[in-house]
Amino acid sequence: MSFAGAVSKVKAENSKGIWDVDYGSMAERIGARRERIHKRIDAAKRLTKLMKIQKMMGFKGDEEEEPFVKAAATKGGLNIHNMDNNGTEIVSNVQLAGEYNQTEHRNKIEKKNEVIQKILDAEEAEMQKKFDEIVKTWPDKGDKMRGAPTQLFEDILEQKEMCNDIL
């Protein structure tokens, strides 16, 4: 017999099991669901009763979990204490806390703006240097008269005109 055959045989035998939801009518499905929920609730109640009895009898459980639980509890207590103190301080000094927060905000913005301004000034100085270097390569009016680098451009234009005349 194959595995699938065995599973179908077991399903047929246990057709009214806890987890079987293949009922014919809607009312049967709802009733089965309510029954499963009721069984889970009962199991949870029995488990909590058992845990209470174990606690009363002095059963501590695994010793490995205690340091972690203690560390988490102390950390949580400190966080709650800090929240409590911070809340009291801000509530009792609302105006002072607001002014302090506003001053801190302004200081951050001023520092940020100073950094941005320094970056912009450095870029401006760099661009000015590049511009000056480019302007130095351009000929002045006096250089144009003397036939400086623009002479080559004029010669090229004359050559083009002569080629057009020939064609």
Side-chain angles (χ1 to χ4, degrees), residues 54-66:
Q54 286 178 342
K55 190 175 183 181
M56 287 173 33
M57 299 300 270
F59 180 73
K60 291 187 178 181
D62 295 336
E63 296 295 325
E64 298 171 0
E65 294 180 6
E66 285 189 21

Side-chain angles (χ1 to χ4, degrees), residues 79-97:
N79 286 342
I80 291 172
H81 178 70
N82 289 339
M83 282 187 230
D84 188 30
N85 288 343
N86 289 342
T88 304
E89 179 181 333
I90 291 175
V91 169
S92 62
N93 300 321
V94 172
Q95 185 175 2
L96 181 63

Side-chain angles (χ1 to χ4, degrees), residues 52-136:
K52 286 180 183 178
I53 291 171
Q54 286 178 342
K55 190 175 183 181
M56 287 173 33
M57 299 300 270
F59 180 73
K60 291 187 178 181
D62 295 336
E63 296 295 325
E64 298 171 0
E65 294 180 6
E66 285 189 21
F68 173 74
V69 172
K70 287 180 183 178
T74 56
K75 185 177 180 183
L78 290 175
N79 286 342
I80 291 172
H81 178 70
N82 289 339
M83 282 187 230
D84 188 30
N85 288 343
N86 289 342
T88 304
E89 179 181 333
I90 291 175
V91 169
S92 62
N93 300 321
V94 172
Q95 185 175 2
L96 181 63
E99 290 173 359
Y100 174 76
N101 289 338
Q102 182 64 27
T103 305
E104 287 295 314
H105 179 68
R106 275 194 230 129
N107 290 340
K108 287 179 184 177
I109 289 176
E110 286 176 7
K111 288 178 183 176
K112 189 178 188 182
N113 288 342
E114 288 174 4
V115 169
I116 292 172
Q117 190 62 39
K118 287 179 183 178
I119 292 170
L120 290 175
D121 290 343
E123 285 181 4
E124 184 180 353
E126 185 180 335
M127 290 297 145
Q128 187 62 37
K129 287 180 185 177
K130 287 182 181 180
F131 180 74
D132 291 341
E133 289 175 7
I134 292 171
V135 168
K136 286 180 185 177

